[in-house]
Amino acid sequence: MEKFETFTYELDGNLYINLTSKCSNDCTFCVRNEHSSYFGHKLWLAREPSASEVLARIPQDISRYKEYVFCGFGEPTLRLPVLLEIGKELKKRGATVRLNTNGQGSMTAGRDISADLAQAVDKINVSLNESNAEDYVKLCRPAYGQAAFAGLQDFAKKCAARGINVWFSVVDVIGEKKIEECRKIAQDCGVSLRVRPYIADSE
């Protein structure tokens, strides 16, 4: 498969930052399983960028984009030091910074990373995806097994307690019953729930 140096890409008025192609999940529904690109953007990375390489692609006029979003084919928190360096610099320049994550960053780091993230991001979208641990494992195939489901909830709760705007997201195809169960999980964690439409084809 051909790989590229697409470290940033534009979509819907936001600038997305693509730090890695690695992920601690292997989701059955992930767009990368079906496509080599996402809305025309070639996101498989030939190599992982440094913070300075990403910052070199940030416009001088920071207001050019609504949000600067850590999101690509991989899990951004796997490159936590680089994410933090970029996020802190963007916030210093007045940008709104969002992280799209599977919520397993603290498990990967072996410690609570919420205090670090509070200095680098304003918003966090945690992909909840399912309403219970057993189904989450079947759907997302996490490296951490069933522990990942409790881990991502703990992560969301702690990030929200730091003052970060945190929400869970699920895809509408899971059905209304599960969506309501997910809403209860979100409520228990002190965060909101957003229901997204399933994107069948991104090319």
Side-chain angles (χ1 to χ4, degrees):
M1 182 184 295
E2 195 175 359
K3 296 183 179 180
F4 301 84
E5 294 192 1
T6 310
F7 303 147
T8 61
Y9 61 103
E10 298 179 34
L11 198 62
D12 298 331
N14 297 325
L15 189 70
Y16 287 76
I17 299 168
N18 185 24
L19 294 181
T20 183
S21 294
K22 297 171 187 168
C23 190
S24 53
N25 276 353
D26 181 22
C27 297
T28 56
F29 61 86
C30 187
V31 65
R32 69 194 230 160
N33 294 334
E34 303 294 332
H35 303 292
S36 61
S37 67
Y38 186 70
F39 288 99
H41 301 288
K42 308 286 188 183
L43 299 185
W44 282 111
L45 291 177
R47 62 185 180 85
E48 295 179 333
S50 66
S52 59
E53 284 178 307
V54 171
L55 289 168
R57 301 188 184 196
I58 302 298
Q60 286 299 112
D61 178 13
I62 209 76
S63 65
R64 182 172 156 191
Y65 298 104
K66 293 180 293 185
E67 293 181 353
Y68 292 78
V69 188
F70 291 104
C71 178
F73 268 173
E75 168 52 45
T77 58
L78 289 176
R79 303 212 52 223
L80 185 64
V82 174
L83 184 160
L84 295 175
E85 186 177 342
I86 296 166
K88 286 175 185 175
E89 178 60 28
L90 287 173
K91 279 175 65 70
K92 195 161 74 176
R93 296 184 195 179
T96 298
V97 183
R98 169 161 48 104
L99 166 64
N100 288 357
T101 178
N102 61 23
Q104 295 166 26
S106 291
M107 299 182 82
T108 302
R111 63 179 180 83
D112 175 15
I113 64 170
S114 62
D116 300 295
L117 290 174
Q119 301 174 56
V121 304
D122 303 288
K123 305 176 178 182
I124 300 179
N125 171 20
V126 180
S127 297
L128 181 62
N129 292 324
E130 264 294 354
S131 62
N132 62 78
E134 187 180 349
D135 288 340
Y136 181 84
V137 168
K138 288 177 188 170
L139 186 71
C140 299
R141 299 183 293 204
Y144 303 105
Q146 290 201 8
F149 194 66
L152 69 85
Q153 292 176 60
D154 183 63
F155 170 83
K157 197 181 298 183
K158 285 176 175 167
C159 286
R162 299 278 183 188
I164 305 171
N165 178 9
V166 182
W167 64 88
F168 284 138
S169 64
V170 295
V171 180
D172 56 10
V173 293
I174 66 172
E176 197 55 45
K177 182 176 181 290
K178 283 192 172 185
I179 287 171
E180 286 310 309
E181 291 168 354
C182 290
R183 210 178 298 283
K184 175 69 167 58
I185 292 170
Q187 191 176 6
D188 291 345
C189 291
V191 305
S192 57
L193 180 74
R194 296 189 186 181
V195 182
R196 300 183 293 109
Y198 175 66
I199 300 170
D201 192 345
S202 68
E203 295 193 300

